């Protein structure tokens, strides 16, 4: 199962476009802000932002880009300094060989008072599902200044098997359905180092 298919399944369970719709609601980006989505994949986040009436420039970059997304690496952004008002790294840093370089590049392309926004799955993400499948639970601790997005979901045995397979895991699906949570941690920093 691809990330797109996994997100579609989680969106169905949550009743919203996961994680894009709840994340954009939390961020409250200025409508005219120029936004860079680093690791944009197929561009769904930017498409959702445009659907909401965003008027600023929306640019996506990914090593394996979808339609209307630029090809490029997070560690070497092909933009001059001070090009964007917001740089987003949504579920990206864990997949990079050099996350620190990617963060430095994102800060470099931000305008003064621009926003660096990093989002990742939090430790509560599907915790009850993994427990019911007999899998190890996440142990990561989010930064103290992180904001948290929690969405309740009911996970059936069929959905749990599909989710486990999408992560390359297996397990006996017993005790389902379970009440669970989709969890995203969000760190939001203004250029110059001030946390929002």
């Amino acid at each position: 199962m691809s990330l797109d298919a996994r997100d579609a399944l989680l969106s169905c369970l949550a009743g919203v476009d996961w994680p894009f719709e709840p994340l954009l609601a939390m961020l409250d980006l200025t409508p005219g802000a120029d936004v860079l989505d680093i690791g944009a994949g197929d561009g769904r986040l930017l498409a959702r932002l445009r659907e909401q009436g965003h008027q600023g420039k929306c640019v996506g970059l990914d090593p394996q880009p979808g339609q209307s997304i630029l090809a490029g690496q997070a560690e070497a952004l092909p933009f001059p300094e001070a090009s964007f008002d917001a740089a987003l790294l949504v579920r990206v840093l864990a997949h990079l060989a050099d996350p620190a370089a990617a963060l430095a590049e994102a800060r470099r392309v931000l305008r003064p008072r621009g926003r660096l926004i990093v989002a990742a799955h939090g430790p509560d993400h599907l915790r009850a599902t993994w427990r019911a499948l007999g899998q190890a639970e996440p142990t990561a601790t989010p930064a103290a200044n992180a904001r948290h997005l929690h969405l309740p979901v009911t996970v059936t045995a069929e959905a749990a098997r599909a989710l486990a397979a999408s992560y390359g895991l297996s397990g006996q699906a017993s005790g389902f359905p379970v009440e669970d949570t989709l969890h995203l941690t969000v760190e939001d920093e203004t250029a110059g180092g001030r946390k929002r």
Side-chain angles (χ1 to χ4, degrees):
M1 174 185 291
S2 68
L3 176 60
D4 292 347
R6 183 189 312 152
D7 283 348
L9 173 57
L10 294 176
S11 295
C12 183
L13 294 175
V16 295
D17 185 13
W18 172 259
F20 309 118
E21 187 175 326
L23 175 63
L24 290 173
M26 174 190 270
L27 295 180
D28 192 29
L29 292 167
T30 304
D34 291 336
V35 177
L36 172 62
D37 184 7
I38 303 167
D42 64 2
R44 287 182 296 148
L45 178 92
L46 295 176
R48 187 74 182 126
L49 186 60
R50 285 186 203 100
E51 288 169 10
Q52 293 178 354
H54 191 81
Q55 299 163 357
K57 177 173 61 174
C58 293
V59 178
L61 181 113
D62 197 275
Q64 299 176 337
Q67 186 176 3
S68 76
I69 302 299
L70 301 173
Q73 300 294 321
E75 299 90 344
L77 298 175
F79 309 105
E81 290 182 15
S83 297
F84 296 94
D85 299 303
L88 312 176
L89 292 119
V90 179
R91 301 180 304 177
V92 171
L93 288 181
H95 303 286
L96 299 177
D98 192 350
L103 290 170
E105 276 291 277
R107 288 181 182 109
R108 180 185 66 77
V109 300
L110 285 175
R111 294 180 179 130
R113 305 205 39 81
R115 292 171 66 187
L116 171 61
I117 299 161
V118 177
H121 287 149
D124 293 334
H125 186 69
L126 297 172
R127 182 185 295 268
T129 299
W130 302 139
R131 185 180 305 130
L133 288 168
Q135 299 293 326
E137 297 175 30
T139 58
T141 304
N145 62 338
R147 291 185 289 166
H148 300 272
L149 175 64
H150 289 91
L151 290 176
V153 293
T154 301
V155 180
T156 64
E158 180 182 356
R161 282 190 292 273
L163 288 167
S166 77
Y167 285 99
L169 304 172
S170 62
Q172 194 70 321
S174 60
F176 285 91
V178 298
E179 299 304 314
D180 211 342
T181 301
L182 304 182
H183 181 200
L184 202 64
T185 62
V186 181
E187 295 182 55
D188 190 343
E189 170 186 297
T190 302
R194 191 172 65 94
K195 303 291 182 183
R196 291 178 58 111

